[in-house]
Amino acid sequence: MRIPIIGGNWKMNRGTPNESKEMLKALIPLIKKSDNVEVMIAPPFTSLIETFNIVKKTNIKLGAQNMYYEETGAFTGEISPNFLKEIGVEYVILGHSERRNIFNESDDLINRKLKKALQVGLKPIVCIGEHLEERESGRTKEVIKSQIDGTFKDLDKEEIIKTVIAYEPIWAIGTGKTATPEQAEEIHIYIRETLRQKFDKEAANSIRIQYGGSIKPTNAEDLFRKANIDGGLVGGASLQADSLAHIINAAEKTIN
Ligand code: 13P
């Protein structure tokens, strides 16, 4: 059985050390301490230590929003995966569409980051998803396939099983326009099928695939009820304790 994972990606929207502390102190009493749903919060780098000090006594996992693929060296402005590990980071989001589109990250770069994350023992959450024009021209599956081929190049089965995929259609991110549960499920099934062909059935069935894109308290439960949707990566609605708690509790409901 796959344990759903709800991730809060705060992006650069919010998350000074004080804001992070305030948000988490409000969130913790609102969610059950449960082993059925995994919860991960990815604040900005500058709040990771502060956040770790709060979440270490809870079930909440700490995530980073990015990392570099080298462990050390003259790479001004980049963050080594080892720096993240030492301060308690467990998950790292890689290849978010904002990294791909605004900062020109390629599948090849994301592939290098992914391999390094796995090598040092960080758990990667790799984002894939299509643009609106690609969906409208019927190319969604082609785009997803090519992202999977590029991003997961030369990975073996043990490595892919440790990876979480976030299907985040770009047209749904921050737009208030969520994919319907049926639209999301169709692509999640396609992702699993592609992984089955590339790896095997066991890998395809064990990997967790989150949905991301305008998840809200009002649509979360319907999305999470779909058999192939294993939780969500939440942006805007993860900034407020009550809406994130609602989404986490919705995932919990779909288990019971
Ligand atoms: P929104 O939930 O704000 O649409 O963002 C989704 C996202 O990009 C999570 O990584």
Side-chain angles (χ1 to χ4, degrees):
M1 207 193 93
R2 299 184 297 265
I3 297 175
I5 170 166
I6 306 296
N9 175 10
W10 290 356
K11 311 190 179 183
M12 207 180 73
N13 283 319
R14 187 173 179 212
T16 65
N18 280 338
E19 284 170 340
S20 305
K21 215 159 58 180
E22 205 179 287
M23 152 65 180
L24 289 158
K25 288 202 164 149
L27 176 72
I28 290 163
L30 301 179
I31 57 177
K32 279 202 236 160
K33 271 211 179 94
S34 150
D35 293 329
N36 299 330
V37 174
E38 215 179 334
V39 178
M40 184 279 302
I41 299 288
F45 287 126
T46 45
S47 292
L48 284 168
I49 293 178
E50 195 80 24
T51 302
F52 180 69
N53 286 332
I54 298 175
V55 300
K56 67 182 174 194
K57 299 178 207 92
T58 72
N59 281 1
I60 300 173
K61 313 281 174 63
L62 185 61
Q65 297 178 18
N66 187 23
M67 57 165 251
Y68 195 51
Y69 65 80
E70 293 286 356
E71 291 181 45
T72 182
F75 302 105
T76 301
E78 291 296 328
I79 299 283
S80 159
N82 293 339
F83 301 169
L84 298 175
K85 277 212 77 176
E86 189 176 317
I87 58 169
V89 171
E90 194 171 325
Y91 280 94
V92 61
I93 300 172
L94 298 175
H96 190 280
S97 62
E98 286 144 20
R99 301 292 324 166
R100 291 175 184 265
N101 296 318
I102 305 171
F103 302 101
N104 294 321
E105 289 198 5
S106 62
D107 284 336
D108 182 57
L109 177 68
I110 299 158
N111 176 251
R112 287 175 195 227
K113 292 184 178 193
L114 172 58
K115 285 179 185 155
K116 180 54 75 175
L118 289 162
Q119 190 192 324
V120 304
L122 285 168
K123 297 175 184 165
I125 298 180
V126 176
C127 306
I128 54 176
E130 80 287 3
H131 286 276
L132 183 61
E133 314 80 77
E134 292 165 338
R135 173 161 284 262
E136 286 178 341
S137 60
R139 293 194 295 123
T140 300
K141 290 183 179 169
E142 181 193 318
V143 170
I144 295 294
K145 165 94 171 62
S146 133
Q147 288 175 337
I148 290 176
D149 286 344
T151 311
F152 300 133
K153 190 162 165 267
D154 299 331
L155 248 62
D156 61 33
K157 182 180 158 183
E158 280 62 43
E159 291 175 313
I160 193 72
I161 286 176
K162 290 185 193 138
T163 305
V164 174
I165 296 181
Y167 168 57
E168 300 207 314
I170 295 159
W171 49 271
I173 297 178
T175 57
K177 204 174 155 195
T178 321
T180 63
E182 291 68 32
Q183 281 174 321
E185 176 74 351
E186 182 192 355
I187 302 304
H188 284 227
I189 290 171
Y190 178 72
I191 294 170
R192 257 186 237 293
E193 177 52 25
T194 308
L195 294 172
R196 191 188 62 73
Q197 285 169 17
K198 243 182 131 51
F199 299 93
D200 65 13
K201 200 170 162 196
E202 192 198 354
N205 288 340
S206 24
I207 192 163
R208 292 182 292 173
I209 309 176
Q210 302 176 290
Y211 167 79
S214 298
I215 297 184
K216 302 183 235 8
T218 46
N219 59 28
E221 192 179 329
D222 287 344
L223 285 158
F224 302 157
R225 284 211 180 277
K226 289 290 178 193
N228 289 284
I229 300 184
D230 309 311
L233 191 55
V234 188
S238 74
L239 299 170
Q240 302 299 330
D242 53 351
S243 60
L244 183 57
H246 197 295
I247 291 167
I248 294 165
N249 293 332
E252 187 78 39
K253 256 203 236 170
T254 63
I255 308 261
N256 300 325

